[in-house]
Short mmCIF file of all heavy atoms in Angstrom, two decimals:
data_model
loop_
_atom_site.label_atom_id
_atom_site.label_comp_id
_atom_site.label_asym_id
_atom_site.label_seq_id
_atom_site.Cartn_x
_atom_site.Cartn_y
_atom_site.Cartn_z
N CYS A 279 80.15 -162.05 45.77
CA CYS A 279 79.43 -163.21 45.26
C CYS A 279 80.25 -164.44 45.36
O CYS A 279 81.43 -164.40 45.70
CB CYS A 279 79.01 -162.92 43.75
SG CYS A 279 80.32 -163.33 42.54
N SER A 280 79.59 -165.56 45.02
CA SER A 280 80.21 -166.84 45.37
C SER A 280 81.53 -167.12 44.61
O SER A 280 82.42 -167.81 45.09
CB SER A 280 79.25 -167.99 45.05
OG SER A 280 78.84 -167.94 43.71
N ILE A 281 81.65 -166.53 43.42
CA ILE A 281 82.93 -166.75 42.66
C ILE A 281 83.97 -165.64 43.02
O ILE A 281 85.15 -165.99 43.20
CB ILE A 281 82.70 -166.86 41.11
CG1 ILE A 281 83.97 -167.40 40.50
CG2 ILE A 281 82.30 -165.54 40.49
CD1 ILE A 281 83.75 -167.98 39.14
N CYS A 282 83.58 -164.41 43.12
CA CYS A 282 84.49 -163.33 43.39
C CYS A 282 85.17 -163.54 44.77
O CYS A 282 86.43 -163.34 44.88
CB CYS A 282 83.82 -161.98 43.30
SG CYS A 282 83.48 -161.47 41.62
N ARG A 283 84.42 -163.97 45.75
CA ARG A 283 84.99 -164.08 47.07
C ARG A 283 86.02 -165.21 47.07
O ARG A 283 86.99 -165.22 47.76
CB ARG A 283 83.94 -164.37 48.07
CG ARG A 283 83.17 -165.62 47.93
CD ARG A 283 82.01 -165.69 49.00
NE ARG A 283 82.57 -165.80 50.35
CZ ARG A 283 82.00 -165.27 51.45
NH1 ARG A 283 80.86 -164.73 51.36
NH2 ARG A 283 82.57 -165.45 52.60
N ARG A 284 85.78 -166.28 46.25
CA ARG A 284 86.73 -167.38 46.19
C ARG A 284 87.95 -167.07 45.39
O ARG A 284 89.05 -167.51 45.74
CB ARG A 284 86.04 -168.63 45.67
CG ARG A 284 85.11 -169.32 46.61
CD ARG A 284 84.31 -170.40 45.98
NE ARG A 284 83.60 -171.23 46.98
CZ ARG A 284 82.40 -170.82 47.51
NH1 ARG A 284 81.90 -169.65 47.23
NH2 ARG A 284 81.88 -171.63 48.42
N LYS A 285 87.81 -166.33 44.29
CA LYS A 285 88.96 -166.01 43.46
C LYS A 285 89.67 -164.70 43.88
O LYS A 285 90.78 -164.39 43.40
CB LYS A 285 88.46 -165.88 42.04
CG LYS A 285 88.02 -167.21 41.44
CD LYS A 285 87.98 -167.14 39.92
CE LYS A 285 87.98 -168.53 39.32
NZ LYS A 285 88.20 -168.53 37.83
N GLY A 286 89.05 -163.91 44.69
CA GLY A 286 89.66 -162.63 45.11
C GLY A 286 89.70 -161.63 43.99
O GLY A 286 90.56 -160.79 43.91
N LEU A 287 88.75 -161.71 43.09
CA LEU A 287 88.74 -160.85 41.90
C LEU A 287 88.57 -159.33 42.39
O LEU A 287 87.75 -159.03 43.21
CB LEU A 287 87.64 -161.19 41.00
CG LEU A 287 87.63 -162.58 40.41
CD1 LEU A 287 86.41 -162.83 39.52
CD2 LEU A 287 88.90 -162.85 39.62
N LEU A 288 89.37 -158.51 41.75
CA LEU A 288 89.17 -157.07 41.88
C LEU A 288 88.97 -156.58 40.42
O LEU A 288 89.82 -156.65 39.59
CB LEU A 288 90.42 -156.39 42.44
CG LEU A 288 90.75 -156.67 43.87
CD1 LEU A 288 92.03 -156.00 44.31
CD2 LEU A 288 89.58 -156.25 44.83
N LEU A 289 87.68 -156.13 40.14
CA LEU A 289 87.30 -155.91 38.78
C LEU A 289 87.14 -154.47 38.36
O LEU A 289 86.71 -153.68 39.16
CB LEU A 289 85.98 -156.68 38.49
CG LEU A 289 86.01 -158.18 38.73
CD1 LEU A 289 84.62 -158.82 38.60
CD2 LEU A 289 86.99 -158.83 37.74
N THR A 290 87.43 -154.27 37.11
CA THR A 290 86.99 -153.04 36.42
C THR A 290 86.37 -153.41 35.11
O THR A 290 86.69 -154.40 34.50
CB THR A 290 88.16 -152.07 36.22
OG1 THR A 290 87.67 -150.87 35.68
CG2 THR A 290 89.23 -152.59 35.22
N PHE A 291 85.36 -152.66 34.72
CA PHE A 291 84.55 -153.00 33.53
C PHE A 291 84.92 -152.09 32.34
O PHE A 291 84.90 -150.87 32.58
CB PHE A 291 83.07 -152.95 33.85
CG PHE A 291 82.62 -153.92 34.91
CD1 PHE A 291 82.50 -153.49 36.18
CD2 PHE A 291 82.43 -155.24 34.59
CE1 PHE A 291 82.14 -154.40 37.21
CE2 PHE A 291 82.04 -156.12 35.62
CZ PHE A 291 81.92 -155.69 36.90
N VAL A 292 85.20 -152.70 31.28
CA VAL A 292 85.52 -151.84 30.07
C VAL A 292 84.72 -152.40 28.88
O VAL A 292 84.36 -153.56 28.84
CB VAL A 292 87.01 -151.90 29.74
CG1 VAL A 292 87.86 -151.35 30.89
CG2 VAL A 292 87.51 -153.30 29.37
N PRO A 293 84.41 -151.52 27.88
CA PRO A 293 83.72 -152.00 26.70
C PRO A 293 84.66 -153.03 26.00
O PRO A 293 85.89 -152.87 26.02
CB PRO A 293 83.66 -150.78 25.84
CG PRO A 293 83.87 -149.61 26.75
CD PRO A 293 84.71 -150.08 27.87
N ALA A 294 84.05 -154.05 25.36
CA ALA A 294 84.85 -155.03 24.69
C ALA A 294 85.77 -154.42 23.68
O ALA A 294 86.85 -154.95 23.40
CB ALA A 294 83.88 -156.09 24.06
N THR A 295 85.31 -153.31 23.07
CA THR A 295 86.16 -152.66 22.04
C THR A 295 87.42 -152.08 22.55
O THR A 295 88.31 -151.80 21.79
CB THR A 295 85.32 -151.51 21.37
OG1 THR A 295 84.82 -150.68 22.40
CG2 THR A 295 84.15 -152.02 20.54
N ALA A 296 87.48 -151.90 23.90
CA ALA A 296 88.74 -151.36 24.47
C ALA A 296 89.60 -152.52 24.98
O ALA A 296 90.72 -152.23 25.55
CB ALA A 296 88.31 -150.49 25.68
N PHE A 297 89.22 -153.69 24.73
CA PHE A 297 90.01 -154.86 25.20
C PHE A 297 90.58 -155.66 24.09
O PHE A 297 89.80 -156.07 23.18
CB PHE A 297 89.09 -155.78 26.08
CG PHE A 297 89.75 -156.99 26.69
CD1 PHE A 297 90.27 -156.94 27.97
CD2 PHE A 297 89.94 -158.15 25.94
CE1 PHE A 297 90.92 -158.06 28.51
CE2 PHE A 297 90.58 -159.25 26.51
CZ PHE A 297 91.04 -159.24 27.84
N THR A 298 91.85 -155.91 24.10
CA THR A 298 92.48 -156.70 23.02
C THR A 298 93.23 -157.88 23.70
O THR A 298 94.04 -157.70 24.60
CB THR A 298 93.55 -155.95 22.28
OG1 THR A 298 92.92 -154.77 21.67
CG2 THR A 298 94.16 -156.76 21.15
N LEU A 299 92.86 -159.09 23.29
CA LEU A 299 93.61 -160.29 23.71
C LEU A 299 94.81 -160.44 22.84
O LEU A 299 94.72 -160.70 21.66
CB LEU A 299 92.64 -161.51 23.63
CG LEU A 299 93.26 -162.79 24.24
CD1 LEU A 299 93.53 -162.68 25.68
CD2 LEU A 299 92.29 -163.95 23.89
N ASP A 300 95.98 -160.17 23.46
CA ASP A 300 97.22 -160.22 22.64
C ASP A 300 97.71 -161.63 22.42
O ASP A 300 98.31 -161.94 21.44
CB ASP A 300 98.28 -159.44 23.36
CG ASP A 300 97.89 -157.96 23.51
OD1 ASP A 300 97.37 -157.40 22.54
OD2 ASP A 300 98.11 -157.38 24.65
N SER A 301 97.43 -162.48 23.41
CA SER A 301 97.85 -163.93 23.18
C SER A 301 97.01 -164.75 24.17
O SER A 301 96.50 -164.27 25.19
CB SER A 301 99.34 -164.13 23.41
OG SER A 301 99.61 -163.89 24.78
N GLY A 302 96.94 -166.06 23.84
CA GLY A 302 96.42 -167.06 24.84
C GLY A 302 95.04 -167.56 24.60
O GLY A 302 94.55 -168.35 25.45
N GLU A 303 94.39 -167.28 23.47
CA GLU A 303 93.00 -167.69 23.29
C GLU A 303 92.96 -169.26 23.46
O GLU A 303 91.98 -169.79 24.10
CB GLU A 303 92.48 -167.29 21.96
CG GLU A 303 91.06 -167.77 21.64
CD GLU A 303 90.00 -167.26 22.63
OE1 GLU A 303 90.07 -166.08 22.93
OE2 GLU A 303 89.17 -168.05 23.12
N ALA A 304 93.92 -169.99 22.93
CA ALA A 304 93.92 -171.42 23.00
C ALA A 304 94.14 -171.95 24.43
O ALA A 304 93.84 -173.12 24.72
CB ALA A 304 95.01 -171.99 22.05
N SER A 305 94.67 -171.07 25.28
CA SER A 305 94.91 -171.51 26.66
C SER A 305 93.78 -171.22 27.59
O SER A 305 93.76 -171.59 28.77
CB SER A 305 96.19 -170.77 27.22
OG SER A 305 97.30 -171.17 26.48
N LEU A 306 92.77 -170.48 27.11
CA LEU A 306 91.68 -169.97 27.95
C LEU A 306 90.54 -170.98 28.09
O LEU A 306 89.94 -171.31 27.10
CB LEU A 306 91.22 -168.64 27.51
CG LEU A 306 92.09 -167.43 27.80
CD1 LEU A 306 91.70 -166.22 26.95
CD2 LEU A 306 91.97 -167.05 29.25
N GLY A 307 90.19 -171.32 29.26
CA GLY A 307 88.98 -172.08 29.56
C GLY A 307 87.82 -171.15 29.87
O GLY A 307 87.98 -169.88 29.91
N ARG A 308 86.65 -171.72 29.96
CA ARG A 308 85.44 -170.97 30.24
C ARG A 308 84.72 -171.59 31.42
O ARG A 308 84.62 -172.81 31.58
CB ARG A 308 84.43 -171.08 29.02
CG ARG A 308 84.92 -170.23 27.82
CD ARG A 308 83.85 -170.42 26.68
NE ARG A 308 84.13 -169.46 25.64
CZ ARG A 308 85.06 -169.65 24.70
NH1 ARG A 308 85.76 -170.72 24.72
NH2 ARG A 308 85.21 -168.78 23.76
N TYR A 309 84.13 -170.72 32.25
CA TYR A 309 83.35 -171.20 33.35
C TYR A 309 82.11 -170.29 33.53
O TYR A 309 82.26 -169.05 33.56
CB TYR A 309 84.15 -171.16 34.66
CG TYR A 309 83.39 -171.64 35.88
CD1 TYR A 309 83.05 -172.99 35.97
CD2 TYR A 309 83.08 -170.76 36.89
CE1 TYR A 309 82.33 -173.45 37.04
CE2 TYR A 309 82.36 -171.26 38.04
CZ TYR A 309 82.00 -172.61 38.08
OH TYR A 309 81.27 -173.05 39.18
N ARG A 310 80.97 -170.91 33.53
CA ARG A 310 79.72 -170.17 33.71
C ARG A 310 78.92 -170.77 34.89
O ARG A 310 79.00 -171.98 35.11
CB ARG A 310 78.89 -170.19 32.45
CG ARG A 310 79.52 -169.59 31.23
CD ARG A 310 78.46 -169.55 30.08
NE ARG A 310 79.04 -169.04 28.85
CZ ARG A 310 79.56 -169.84 27.92
NH1 ARG A 310 79.62 -171.15 28.07
NH2 ARG A 310 80.05 -169.34 26.80
N PHE A 311 78.14 -169.94 35.50
CA PHE A 311 77.28 -170.44 36.53
C PHE A 311 76.08 -169.49 36.68
O PHE A 311 75.99 -168.49 35.98
CB PHE A 311 78.03 -170.58 37.92
CG PHE A 311 78.41 -169.27 38.53
CD1 PHE A 311 77.74 -168.83 39.64
CD2 PHE A 311 79.47 -168.53 38.04
CE1 PHE A 311 78.05 -167.60 40.22
CE2 PHE A 311 79.84 -167.37 38.63
CZ PHE A 311 79.07 -166.85 39.69
N TYR A 312 75.16 -169.89 37.57
CA TYR A 312 73.98 -169.10 37.80
C TYR A 312 73.23 -168.78 36.55
O TYR A 312 72.77 -169.70 35.89
CB TYR A 312 74.44 -167.81 38.61
CG TYR A 312 73.32 -167.00 39.19
CD1 TYR A 312 72.25 -167.60 39.81
CD2 TYR A 312 73.32 -165.60 39.21
CE1 TYR A 312 71.24 -166.86 40.42
CE2 TYR A 312 72.36 -164.86 39.76
CZ TYR A 312 71.25 -165.48 40.33
OH TYR A 312 70.25 -164.73 40.85
N LYS A 313 73.12 -167.53 36.13
CA LYS A 313 72.29 -167.22 34.96
C LYS A 313 73.13 -167.23 33.66
O LYS A 313 72.63 -166.86 32.65
CB LYS A 313 71.64 -165.88 35.18
CG LYS A 313 70.61 -165.87 36.27
CD LYS A 313 70.01 -164.51 36.55
CE LYS A 313 68.98 -164.57 37.67
NZ LYS A 313 68.53 -163.21 38.13
N HIS A 314 74.42 -167.60 33.77
CA HIS A 314 75.28 -167.73 32.60
C HIS A 314 75.45 -166.34 31.85
O HIS A 314 75.67 -166.31 30.68
CB HIS A 314 74.77 -168.74 31.62
CG HIS A 314 75.02 -170.15 32.11
ND1 HIS A 314 75.17 -171.21 31.24
CD2 HIS A 314 75.12 -170.66 33.35
CE1 HIS A 314 75.37 -172.34 31.92
NE2 HIS A 314 75.33 -172.02 33.22
N ARG A 315 75.33 -165.28 32.60
CA ARG A 315 75.45 -163.99 31.99
C ARG A 315 76.90 -163.56 31.81
O ARG A 315 77.26 -162.73 31.04
CB ARG A 315 74.67 -162.89 32.80
CG ARG A 315 73.19 -163.00 32.60
CD ARG A 315 72.48 -161.81 33.17
NE ARG A 315 72.74 -161.66 34.58
CZ ARG A 315 71.85 -161.22 35.47
NH1 ARG A 315 70.66 -160.80 35.05
NH2 ARG A 315 72.14 -161.15 36.71
N ILE A 316 77.75 -164.19 32.68
CA ILE A 316 79.17 -163.82 32.65
C ILE A 316 79.94 -165.12 32.33
O ILE A 316 79.67 -166.17 32.84
CB ILE A 316 79.65 -163.36 34.05
CG1 ILE A 316 78.84 -162.13 34.54
CG2 ILE A 316 81.16 -163.04 34.03
CD1 ILE A 316 79.14 -160.91 33.77
N THR A 317 80.90 -164.98 31.39
CA THR A 317 81.71 -166.09 31.06
C THR A 317 83.11 -165.82 31.67
O THR A 317 83.82 -164.89 31.23
CB THR A 317 81.89 -166.28 29.52
OG1 THR A 317 80.58 -166.47 28.96
CG2 THR A 317 82.77 -167.46 29.18
N HIS A 318 83.46 -166.56 32.68
CA HIS A 318 84.76 -166.36 33.33
C HIS A 318 85.78 -167.09 32.51
O HIS A 318 85.68 -168.27 32.18
CB HIS A 318 84.70 -166.95 34.77
CG HIS A 318 83.81 -166.16 35.60
ND1 HIS A 318 84.13 -165.07 36.35
CD2 HIS A 318 82.43 -166.32 35.85
CE1 HIS A 318 83.07 -164.58 36.95
NE2 HIS A 318 82.04 -165.35 36.70
N ARG A 319 86.85 -166.38 32.14
CA ARG A 319 87.94 -166.96 31.39
C ARG A 319 89.22 -167.13 32.30
O ARG A 319 89.58 -166.16 32.95
CB ARG A 319 88.26 -166.02 30.20
CG ARG A 319 87.08 -165.63 29.29
CD ARG A 319 86.37 -166.82 28.63
NE ARG A 319 87.30 -167.68 27.90
CZ ARG A 319 87.59 -167.55 26.56
NH1 ARG A 319 87.08 -166.52 25.91
NH2 ARG A 319 88.38 -168.39 25.97
N PHE A 320 89.68 -168.34 32.22
CA PHE A 320 90.86 -168.60 33.09
C PHE A 320 91.89 -169.37 32.28
O PHE A 320 91.56 -170.08 31.36
CB PHE A 320 90.42 -169.46 34.31
CG PHE A 320 89.80 -170.77 33.91
CD1 PHE A 320 90.55 -171.89 33.83
CD2 PHE A 320 88.44 -170.81 33.62
CE1 PHE A 320 89.97 -173.13 33.45
CE2 PHE A 320 87.84 -171.99 33.27
CZ PHE A 320 88.63 -173.16 33.14
N CYS A 321 93.12 -169.24 32.67
CA CYS A 321 94.23 -169.91 31.99
C CYS A 321 94.26 -171.32 32.42
O CYS A 321 94.31 -171.64 33.60
CB CYS A 321 95.58 -169.22 32.31
SG CYS A 321 96.99 -170.14 31.62
N THR A 322 94.19 -172.21 31.46
CA THR A 322 94.11 -173.67 31.78
C THR A 322 95.44 -174.20 32.26
O THR A 322 95.53 -175.38 32.76
CB THR A 322 93.58 -174.50 30.62
OG1 THR A 322 94.40 -174.21 29.49
CG2 THR A 322 92.17 -174.14 30.29
N THR A 323 96.49 -173.45 32.11
CA THR A 323 97.89 -173.84 32.64
C THR A 323 98.03 -173.42 34.08
O THR A 323 98.34 -174.24 34.92
CB THR A 323 98.96 -173.26 31.69
OG1 THR A 323 98.82 -173.79 30.39
CG2 THR A 323 100.32 -173.65 32.29
N CYS A 324 97.85 -172.10 34.36
CA CYS A 324 98.19 -171.62 35.66
C CYS A 324 96.95 -171.37 36.57
O CYS A 324 97.12 -171.08 37.71
CB CYS A 324 99.06 -170.44 35.59
SG CYS A 324 98.25 -168.93 34.87
N GLY A 325 95.77 -171.39 35.94
CA GLY A 325 94.53 -171.22 36.76
C GLY A 325 94.11 -169.79 37.01
O GLY A 325 93.09 -169.57 37.63
N THR A 326 94.88 -168.85 36.58
CA THR A 326 94.58 -167.40 36.84
C THR A 326 93.38 -167.05 35.99
O THR A 326 93.24 -167.46 34.82
CB THR A 326 95.82 -166.54 36.41
OG1 THR A 326 96.95 -167.07 36.99
CG2 THR A 326 95.52 -165.08 36.86
N GLU A 327 92.53 -166.21 36.55
CA GLU A 327 91.40 -165.59 35.76
C GLU A 327 91.77 -164.12 35.45
O GLU A 327 91.49 -163.22 36.30
CB GLU A 327 90.10 -165.63 36.50
CG GLU A 327 88.97 -164.98 35.71
CD GLU A 327 87.58 -165.23 36.23
OE1 GLU A 327 87.34 -166.21 36.90
OE2 GLU A 327 86.71 -164.34 35.96
N PRO A 328 92.27 -163.81 34.27
CA PRO A 328 92.58 -162.41 33.95
C PRO A 328 91.35 -161.58 33.63
O PRO A 328 91.41 -160.35 33.79
CB PRO A 328 93.51 -162.52 32.74
CG PRO A 328 93.80 -164.00 32.57
CD PRO A 328 92.73 -164.72 33.22
N PHE A 329 90.28 -162.15 33.10
CA PHE A 329 89.15 -161.38 32.74
C PHE A 329 87.95 -162.27 32.56
O PHE A 329 88.00 -163.52 32.53
CB PHE A 329 89.39 -160.63 31.39
CG PHE A 329 89.55 -161.50 30.15
CD1 PHE A 329 88.47 -161.73 29.34
CD2 PHE A 329 90.77 -162.15 29.90
CE1 PHE A 329 88.64 -162.56 28.25
CE2 PHE A 329 90.93 -162.94 28.78
CZ PHE A 329 89.83 -163.14 27.94
N ALA A 330 86.75 -161.59 32.45
CA ALA A 330 85.54 -162.31 32.15
C ALA A 330 84.80 -161.57 31.09
O ALA A 330 85.11 -160.33 30.82
CB ALA A 330 84.65 -162.41 33.40
N GLU A 331 83.86 -162.23 30.44
CA GLU A 331 83.13 -161.65 29.29
C GLU A 331 81.62 -161.57 29.66
O GLU A 331 81.11 -162.46 30.28
CB GLU A 331 83.27 -162.53 28.04
CG GLU A 331 84.69 -162.69 27.57
CD GLU A 331 84.90 -163.87 26.58
OE1 GLU A 331 84.01 -164.73 26.52
OE2 GLU A 331 85.94 -163.90 25.98
N GLY A 332 81.06 -160.42 29.30
CA GLY A 332 79.72 -160.27 29.60
C GLY A 332 79.10 -159.12 28.79
O GLY A 332 79.67 -158.73 27.79
N GLU A 333 77.98 -158.60 29.28
CA GLU A 333 77.37 -157.43 28.63
C GLU A 333 77.01 -156.40 29.69
O GLU A 333 76.75 -156.70 30.83
CB GLU A 333 76.07 -157.84 27.92
CG GLU A 333 76.28 -158.61 26.65
CD GLU A 333 74.98 -158.77 25.89
OE1 GLU A 333 73.89 -158.39 26.39
OE2 GLU A 333 75.01 -159.20 24.73
N GLN A 334 77.13 -155.13 29.28
CA GLN A 334 76.72 -154.10 30.17
C GLN A 334 75.89 -153.08 29.32
O GLN A 334 76.40 -152.65 28.29
CB GLN A 334 77.98 -153.39 30.70
CG GLN A 334 77.70 -152.41 31.84
CD GLN A 334 78.94 -151.96 32.59
OE1 GLN A 334 79.95 -151.62 31.87
NE2 GLN A 334 78.95 -151.93 33.87
N ASN A 335 74.63 -152.87 29.78
CA ASN A 335 73.79 -151.97 28.99
C ASN A 335 73.62 -152.45 27.59
O ASN A 335 73.60 -151.63 26.63
CB ASN A 335 74.24 -150.52 29.04
CG ASN A 335 74.41 -149.98 30.45
OD1 ASN A 335 73.62 -150.30 31.33
ND2 ASN A 335 75.48 -149.23 30.70
N GLY A 336 73.62 -153.75 27.35
CA GLY A 336 73.37 -154.32 26.05
C GLY A 336 74.66 -154.36 25.17
O GLY A 336 74.55 -154.82 24.01
N GLN A 337 75.73 -153.91 25.66
CA GLN A 337 76.94 -153.90 24.85
C GLN A 337 77.99 -154.91 25.40
O GLN A 337 78.07 -155.06 26.64
CB GLN A 337 77.60 -152.49 24.89
CG GLN A 337 76.74 -151.39 24.31
CD GLN A 337 76.39 -151.62 22.85
OE1 GLN A 337 77.24 -151.96 22.09
NE2 GLN A 337 75.14 -151.40 22.48
N PRO A 338 78.69 -155.53 24.48
CA PRO A 338 79.78 -156.49 24.98
C PRO A 338 80.77 -155.77 25.93
O PRO A 338 81.21 -154.65 25.67
CB PRO A 338 80.48 -156.90 23.70
CG PRO A 338 79.49 -156.65 22.62
CD PRO A 338 78.65 -155.47 23.03
N MET A 339 81.01 -156.42 27.02
CA MET A 339 81.89 -155.89 28.11
C MET A 339 82.96 -156.87 28.51
O MET A 339 82.76 -158.10 28.36
CB MET A 339 80.94 -155.55 29.26
CG MET A 339 81.57 -155.15 30.53
SD MET A 339 82.01 -156.57 31.57
CE MET A 339 80.48 -157.16 32.20
#
Side-chain angles (χ1 to χ4, degrees):
C279 83
S280 60
I281 193 163
C282 286
R283 64 183 296 151
R284 283 173 172 80
K285 291 197 164 192
L287 301 177
L288 292 178
L289 299 173
T290 185
F291 299 97
V292 299
T295 51
F297 182 94
T298 303
L299 185 63
D300 299 315
S301 68
E303 180 61 44
S305 298
L306 282 164
R308 288 179 169 80
Y309 181 67
R310 296 187 185 93
F311 69 105
Y312 192 40
K313 293 175 181 173
H314 287 208
R315 285 190 301 214
I316 303 287
T317 301
H318 294 271
R319 305 300 306 271
F320 59 93
C321 176
T322 54
T323 298
C324 69
T326 311
E327 177 170 334
F329 67 97
E331 300 164 342
E333 286 191 351
Q334 193 170 43
N335 304 321
Q337 299 298 316
M339 170 277 286

